[in-house]
Amino acid sequence: MHPYLPHLLSDIVNAHRSKEPLISEMIESLDETEAFKKHIEEVERYISGEGYEHDFGYYCDLKSLDFPPAEQFTDNEKTQVFEAFQKMLSTWNASMDFPEKLPSNLRYEFMVEILNEKFIPMDKGFITFDFCDGYAPDCGFKEYCRCREYWN
């Protein structure tokens, strides 16, 4: 076992979103008109991109430099890190979606890159990091891009 793995897994667990009252829970205590206004404000903030001053790592207090290179972990260890990271993301109403056949080293590298992606915490809904804009020729997933079959 890589000696840093237990520390990294612990750091990922500590990066879970706190159980502080969410805006959505506070909204429930408001009257219907105020609750609707707050909900619309959150939707407008998301659509406009307002509040995207920070990357995901800022909020969860993890940095991409905290993660050793993929080559230092076995496939089993990368799977452990990936699963812990997925659980942590879900506490932030976020997920990651990568091609099924993406090799573990690339999957790990894209997962770590999520920490550098602009992010805005949401109380309702879900944000998915997928790194694919649908334009297969420039896709970072290369031959593993799911859109490639439509381009060929």
Side-chain angles (χ1 to χ4, degrees), residues 25-129:
E25 292 169 357
M26 290 185 264
I27 287 174
E28 290 172 6
S29 67
L30 303 173
D31 66 52
E32 279 187 40
T33 304
E34 281 300 308
F36 181 72
K37 284 181 185 177
K38 292 287 185 194
H39 175 67
I40 294 302
E41 286 173 12
E42 186 175 69
V43 170
E44 288 176 345
R45 184 175 59 131
Y46 173 75
I47 291 171
S48 72
E50 180 186 324
Y52 279 98
E53 297 94 28
H54 302 291
D55 54 33
F56 182 67
Y58 170 86
Y59 293 102
C60 70
D61 201 28
L62 288 174
K63 312 231 175 330
S64 55
L65 295 175
D66 296 335
F67 290 74
E71 302 79 35
Q72 291 187 14
F73 288 129
T74 65
D75 282 343
N76 182 42
E77 290 169 337
K78 283 183 275 203
T79 298
Q80 289 178 56
V81 172
F82 193 79
E83 288 173 356
F85 200 91
Q86 271 184 309
K87 286 179 186 174
M88 181 270 296
L89 277 176
S90 70
T91 69
W92 289 94
N93 289 12
S95 66
M96 51 188 165
D97 182 31
F98 303 136
E100 205 172 297
K101 296 185 187 223
L102 193 66
S104 63
N105 278 1
L106 282 175
R107 181 181 298 260
Y108 179 90
E109 290 171 16
F110 278 107
M111 177 200 72
V112 172
E113 186 55 33
I114 288 172
L115 297 168
N116 301 319
E117 290 292 307
K118 293 294 182 193
F119 182 77
I120 188 166
M122 298 180 61
D123 294 320
K124 297 219 182 228
F126 230 72
I127 295 173
T128 300
F129 296 100

